[in-house]
Amino acid sequence: MSGNPSDPGNSQRRLVAIYPGSFDPLTNGHLDLICRGARLTDHLIVAILRNTHKRPLFSVGERTEMIRKVTASLTNVEIDSFEGLLVNYAARRNANAILRGIRAISDYETELQMALLNRRMRPETETIFLMAAEEYSFISSRMIKEIATLGGDVSQFVPEAVTGYLRTKSSG
Ligand code: PNS
């Protein structure tokens, strides 16, 4: 992937990409990126970060289940989870790309920093950015959780299956 820019590369190479994130919970913005990523790549691994420092609303099991439900028709999409460094996980999975979405300029700074650090640590893995679709560019999992736990209707922001999970959490 990296190296001589004039090297056209191997056209037979499979593009295996990791789409990492917290997905707590999955939003319509995430789902849009998964669908577009699946069209671009041979194999797309949606990788849920197992972060012991954060206290997520949904367990990794619940997040895996909800993402699996809404991506069931996408045959080249796999759902997995990881802990530790993303680049180490990418190496273990033989992934040649990391997929990330950018919603607004405010995302750019952090994403650029992550992409450059990841490239220094593992130049074989390129970060590919997709611009979020305009209609989802203002949606974030954090806001969705806040609206849902305060009793608001989030059905226009998350896939239908996720609304059910949020309802169960809010009422419990
Ligand atoms: O959905 P998020 O919370 O924006 O995802 C952030 C994520 C999971 C992509 C990022 O925190 C990450 O890659 N964590 C793994 C640890 C790591 O590799 N850190 C160094 C990044 S430069």
Side-chain angles (χ1 to χ4, degrees):
M1 276 288 179
S2 68
N4 182 356
S6 64
D7 178 359
N10 179 354
S11 58
Q12 301 299 308
R13 186 187 287 134
R14 269 166 53 83
L15 179 55
V16 176
I18 293 174
Y19 177 33
S22 306
F23 307 108
D24 187 40
L26 181 87
T27 67
N28 284 340
H30 293 132
L31 182 58
D32 172 60
L33 221 84
I34 294 172
C35 294
R36 289 160 60 202
R39 282 199 297 272
L40 283 176
T41 59
D42 294 294
H43 189 68
L44 181 69
I45 304 164
V46 179
I48 305 164
L49 175 68
R50 272 186 270 131
N51 190 342
T52 45
H53 303 300
K54 272 193 191 173
R55 295 191 79 245
L57 181 61
F58 294 102
S59 69
V60 171
E62 288 169 323
R63 282 176 276 165
T64 304
E65 204 175 85
M66 64 177 90
I67 301 173
R68 195 162 280 147
K69 271 188 192 161
V70 300
T71 59
S73 61
L74 303 170
T75 52
N76 63 336
V77 172
E78 173 192 342
I79 323 300
D80 194 12
S81 63
F82 76 104
E83 58 190 340
L85 279 180
L86 176 59
V87 286
N88 291 346
Y89 174 69
R92 283 201 301 280
R93 296 303 316 265
N94 284 319
N96 33 33
I98 292 167
L99 182 71
R100 291 287 289 171
I102 294 201
R103 292 166 299 187
I105 280 292
S106 49
D107 282 341
Y108 179 76
E109 211 170 318
T110 327
E111 293 299 331
L112 174 71
Q113 194 180 9
M114 272 201 309
L116 294 179
L117 285 166
N118 284 336
R119 189 162 71 191
R120 278 293 175 100
M121 291 188 280
R122 187 173 154 78
E124 302 90 320
T125 310
E126 285 287 352
T127 300
I128 299 176
F129 291 113
L130 290 183
M131 296 300 147
E134 304 89 282
E135 63 263 46
Y136 306 130
S137 61
F138 55 90
I139 302 176
S140 75
S141 296
R142 191 169 60 84
M143 297 286 180
I144 297 305
K145 275 185 285 197
E146 185 167 320
I147 297 170
T149 49
L150 294 172
D153 177 9
V154 292
S155 57
Q156 57 178 314
F157 308 124
V158 297
E160 205 181 325
V162 176
T163 326
Y165 284 88
L166 279 165
R167 211 173 289 126
T168 310
K169 284 280 173 194
S170 313
S171 60

